[in-house]
Amino acid sequence: MASKEAYSPLPPWQRTDYCGTLRANDAGRDVALLGWVQTRRDHGGLIFIDLRDREGIVQLVLNPEISAGAHEAGSQVRSEYYIAARGKVVLRSEGTVNAELPTGQVEVVVNALEIVNTSAPPPFPIDGDTATAEEIRLKYRYLDLRRPEMQRNLRARHQAIKAIRDYLDDNGFVEIETPILWKSTPEGARDYLVPSRVNPGKFYALPQSPQLLKQLLMVAGFDRYYQIARCFRDEDLRANRQPEFSQIDLEMTCPRPDDVMSIAEGMVAAAFRRVLGVEINPPFIRMPYAEAMERFGIDKPDMRFGLELKNLTSAFEGTSFKVFADVLARGQSIYGINLPGQHQLSRRELDEITETLRSRYAMGLAWVKVTDSGWQGPIAKYLGDGERERAAGVASLKPGDTLMMVAGDAAAVRPVLGEIRLQLGARFNLDSTGERKFLWVVDFPLFEYSEEDKRLVSVNHPFTAPNPDDLAVLDKNPLDARALAYDMVLNGQELGGGSIRIHSRELQLKVLELLGFSREEATDRFGFLVDALTYGAPPHGGCAFGVDRLCMMLCGTDSLRDVLAFPKTGKAVDPMSGAPSEVDPRQLKELAIKVTA
RNA sequence: GGGGUCGUAGUUCAGCUCGGUUAGAACGCCGGCCUGUCACGUCGGAAGUCGUGGGUUCAAAUCCCAUCGGCCCCGCCA
């Protein structure tokens, strides 16, 4: 230890105030402060120290005429030393007020200063700038978290969760914890596995969500449950995806979909109100999944801008343009986006989009520019007057506009145009308007067909209730059945979603059967749920919201790592601790595990 | 698994096309001076495995190959 003082586990005094809270009306008070040295400005005679704690910064003044000892101690301090200071709060004299600092009206004239702990020079500055490489920030995360920005983010997260807990408590929800060591279930993401020492060769799985457990809590009669639940998924990471994340998980007995959505709206509104002081004015619009796909080509539309998809199929009826004619002959579709005249793409940008579509989706982009003298572009000459007129009508084309079209199977074309739409939105900064556009996407299909597995898979999860109006089609054409499911979307990001669940044992078995589980398999994997449904299980439903993504929105950041204290890198590594790491062979032996990697 | 991009002083970067003195700058750090600074000023100084390994060459931060890692994206994530 570099300090000359004998090591003491206690500071020389307790603080009376946080540095960042001192204001003009504190002038005259004697205060005791504890904090980190942000900067020291040593004038030889006078020394100024900016002292930082979690509430902010205040300027200390060390004058040898006030205290020679404090001045001498002050000359020893360096960045990030943890020091204790006593002194008097004084109003700054005319001309020395710092309008940039909330505490800039005052300063603390120090009469005693002690170095509580020294600091090696920090590997990166602890002030506002975030220019440092993320890997280094993560390696020294405890220093990165000292930065005001990260302090702000994590406290915003606390505020959001507190607001949500208060709101749910006010609405009769009971917080109940569920196991972290649980059962591996098929379907869904890859599980994180935990070996069981006392049951060699057997494994727990960390929960991907408490879905089944909360349903059992409804069977148990808690009526309204919630939990801030840690969830684990062993999949590749993204800017907004970490292997462990938190959900606000809630479930209620006998709700209509509107009841769950209303609770969720109130919950999110409470978080925005508490953290940002803004009203987001629910209820949000409800948009059927089919409409979202038709208009936006995606199930989580960003509604801050237009550029909606237009179905041009009938407009090109009888076209002599061979590409379109072939598509129409196969009963497929042509969709387009009208890029209005105020947004101009260069020929090169159009070529780049075309090339991306070709290489990634094996699709072509047909585009035309509308001018006063007619249509221009590589394919314009193949298009006749009638179809031009009809397309112009459908897409509301005006001179200056660009019409970008993709032809093929509607189910494939619409997502591709949806992707182009988002690119255009980003290209012309339509997605950085500062607006907040909430909506619910409802009436999701219950199933979709998985080409990979050659069977039906659940769009949501296997416990989602079918829309009662569609029970009849379950047998005939299950792909047409809608689910009682709903997703909340904000600016093109899914914040959360949920559904009414199946509470009938027979219906649950039937759905599992449609998903390819025999009765035997279903019993083996989900027997406890199916059994539970036989004992007076009430109707129930709920939803789950991504805490981390919600906090990203509240903090205005694009990276989930900015709202987590100790996140992992893209390779799921923690550069600070070195996790994951190899373990002692004896540990493996105890667990009956042989490593082959 | 695939694509893009980056890796040079503690930090942020320049240098790399077109190989050639001792690899530079800023901030930070260390030392001196300085009583109203708050991006303090000023004088001086230290600081490099050019991610790693291999290859080409008289000579490699620079060219080639491989590999590791960060970030972003696709696949994947009910």
Side-chain angles (χ1 to χ4, degrees):
Chain A
M1 231 179 133
S3 170
K4 285 174 241 163
E5 305 296 325
Y7 166 75
S8 163
L10 302 177
W13 49 74
Q14 296 298 307
R15 67 161 54 88
T16 59
D17 296 83
Y18 282 117
C19 301
T21 62
L22 297 176
R23 294 293 183 274
N25 59 15
D26 291 303
R29 292 183 51 222
D30 288 306
V31 294
L33 304 172
L34 296 166
W36 287 274
V37 174
Q38 169 89 32
T39 54
R40 179 185 58 121
R41 292 178 293 280
D42 187 342
H43 289 225
L46 280 183
I47 298 173
F48 299 95
I49 290 173
D50 288 345
L51 191 65
R52 169 181 14 90
D53 60 26
R54 70 175 221 189
E55 299 299 330
I57 283 171
V58 72
Q59 174 166 281
L60 309 182
V61 185
L62 303 175
N63 187 331
E65 291 158 19
I66 304 285
S67 167
H71 182 266
E72 166 58 23
S75 69
Q76 304 296 316
V77 310
R78 297 293 183 270
S79 290
E80 300 309 314
Y81 275 32
Y82 193 74
I83 64 173
R86 273 185 188 282
K88 191 180 284 289
V89 181
V90 302
L91 288 174
R92 294 202 193 186
S93 63
E94 189 107 7
T96 65
V97 167
N98 185 345
E100 305 292 311
L101 281 181
T103 61
Q105 296 282 326
V106 297
E107 60 196 4
V108 176
V109 177
V110 173
N111 51 46
L113 186 149
E114 291 200 30
I115 293 170
V116 180
N117 204 352
T118 59
S119 172
F124 50 82
I126 313 295
D127 53 25
D129 302 335
T130 327
T132 309
E134 190 139 13
E135 193 177 9
I136 293 164
R137 290 174 55 201
L138 291 181
K139 180 170 180 186
Y140 301 96
R141 188 59 157 180
Y142 40 85
L143 295 179
D144 190 40
L145 294 177
R146 246 182 228 174
R147 293 171 42 243
E149 181 190 355
M150 293 303 295
Q151 295 262 322
R152 207 162 45 235
N153 287 354
L154 292 184
R155 288 178 73 179
R157 183 181 177 119
H158 160 75
Q159 289 293 339
I161 290 174
K162 177 70 164 62
I164 286 166
R165 280 204 161 99
D166 289 346
Y167 172 84
L168 292 174
D169 182 61
D170 289 345
N171 282 278
F173 286 81
V174 179
E175 182 167 12
I176 301 175
E177 292 172 272
T178 54
I180 294 294
L181 296 178
W182 212 49
K183 184 180 161 67
S184 177
T185 51
E187 300 258 308
R190 207 173 282 114
D191 283 322
Y192 274 99
L193 297 177
V194 180
S196 169
R197 177 183 56 82
V198 293
N199 300 283
K202 296 192 176 175
F203 295 82
Y204 302 98
L206 306 183
Q208 297 177 24
S209 86
Q211 176 62 35
L212 293 173
L213 292 156
K214 70 174 171 180
Q215 290 189 240
L216 299 177
L217 291 171
M218 292 303 100
V219 178
F222 287 96
D223 194 68
R224 290 187 165 202
Y225 139 94
Y226 84 99
Q227 181 182 190
I228 311 295
R230 195 66 65 85
C231 304
F232 305 86
R233 295 178 187 175
D234 187 5
E235 297 291 346
D236 287 353
L237 288 76
R238 281 285 195 292
N240 59 1
R241 254 167 40 195
Q242 285 270 310
E244 58 180 302
F245 59 99
S246 297
Q247 284 187 344
I248 303 150
D249 189 51
L250 67 88
E251 194 80 0
M252 34 204 309
T253 296
C254 298
R256 294 158 297 184
D258 278 348
D259 297 324
V260 180
M261 286 188 265
S262 168
I263 286 287
E265 287 169 342
M267 182 177 84
V268 172
F272 274 85
R273 190 178 302 124
R274 181 83 62 98
V275 177
L276 297 179
V278 300
E279 293 300 326
I280 57 175
N281 302 318
F284 310 145
I285 64 160
R286 317 279 159 98
M287 181 184 294
Y289 170 88
E291 181 185 338
M293 295 306 294
E294 177 73 13
R295 290 173 57 193
F296 301 98
I298 192 168
D299 62 357
K300 45 181 178 183
D302 187 339
M303 299 195 60
R304 287 173 296 180
F305 56 93
L307 303 180
E308 292 188 22
L309 278 54
K310 300 295 178 189
N311 188 339
L312 302 168
T313 311
S314 56
F316 288 106
E317 216 57 70
T319 183
S320 51
F321 179 38
K322 189 165 183 316
V323 175
F324 283 3
D326 289 350
V327 162
L328 293 173
R330 286 196 295 270
Q332 295 178 326
S333 307
I334 301 160
Y335 280 80
I337 289 176
N338 174 6
L339 181 65
Q342 68 262 34
H343 304 308
Q344 291 295 329
L345 286 175
S346 67
R347 175 64 188 259
R348 185 177 164 184
E349 286 173 304
L350 284 163
D351 287 346
E352 278 170 6
I353 295 171
T354 305
E355 182 48 38
T356 305
L357 288 198
R358 195 195 316 281
S359 59
R360 192 181 297 174
Y361 304 107
M363 285 187 190
L365 177 75
W367 59 268
V368 291
K369 249 177 186 154
V370 182
T371 72
D372 290 321
S373 51
W375 287 19
Q376 293 177 359
I379 65 152
K381 62 186 172 203
Y382 303 110
L383 303 175
D385 288 341
E387 56 203 89
R388 289 186 187 201
E389 208 166 290
R390 288 192 298 272
V394 172
S396 311
L397 294 177
K398 300 180 302 295
D401 296 352
T402 306
L403 179 63
M404 305 169 68
M405 294 172 285
V406 179
D409 182 48
V413 162
R414 294 186 303 192
V416 167
L417 268 174
E419 179 60 34
I420 292 176
R421 174 177 176 272
L422 291 178
Q423 280 178 26
L424 293 173
R427 164 69 177 77
F428 295 107
N429 292 321
L430 306 175
D431 61 354
S432 46
T433 58
E435 287 176 288
R436 277 182 275 271
K437 292 288 192 181
F438 286 92
L439 75 152
W440 288 98
V441 176
V442 299
D443 293 338
F444 279 83
L446 190 61
F447 302 114
E448 62 193 349
Y449 185 74
S450 164
E451 286 294 341
E452 190 186 341
D453 298 336
K454 304 289 178 209
R455 65 174 178 93
L456 294 182
V457 294
S458 295
V459 168
N460 189 219
H461 55 60
F463 320 106
T464 303
N467 188 312
D469 298 337
D470 295 347
L471 284 178
V473 304
L474 264 189
D475 295 307
K476 285 174 275 176
N477 195 352
L479 284 169
D480 285 346
R482 290 165 302 167
L484 289 183
Y486 29 82
D487 277 1
M488 188 193 287
V489 176
L490 167 57
N491 294 349
Q493 291 251 13
E494 180 194 329
L495 280 185
S499 63
I500 304 300
R501 329 298 183 186
I502 297 168
H503 71 283
S504 148
R505 175 190 143 92
E506 282 312 307
L507 183 56
Q508 184 64 75
L509 286 171
K510 180 177 193 164
V511 166
L512 287 171
E513 203 173 320
L514 286 164
L515 291 170
F517 292 96
S518 68
R519 290 232 158 182
E520 193 179 30
E521 284 173 311
T523 307
D524 182 46
R525 316 256 203 178
F526 304 112
F528 58 97
L529 174 71
V530 174
D531 284 350
L533 297 183
T534 63
Y535 295 106
H540 57 284
C543 60
F545 275 71
V547 174
D548 315 278
R549 288 186 189 177
L550 179 62
C551 290
M552 284 169 63
M553 297 288 181
L554 292 170
C555 294
T557 173
D558 292 327
S559 172
L560 205 152
R561 294 182 297 274
D562 288 340
V563 296
L564 279 175
F566 299 103
K568 294 178 178 63
T569 67
K571 273 240 181 330
V573 163
D574 170 17
M576 186 178 65
S577 70
S581 58
E582 291 176 348
V583 296
D584 193 298
R586 280 176 303 184
Q587 287 176 284
L588 292 176
K589 198 176 173 207
E590 265 188 330
L591 297 167
I593 288 178
K594 187 183 249 175
V595 175
T596 59

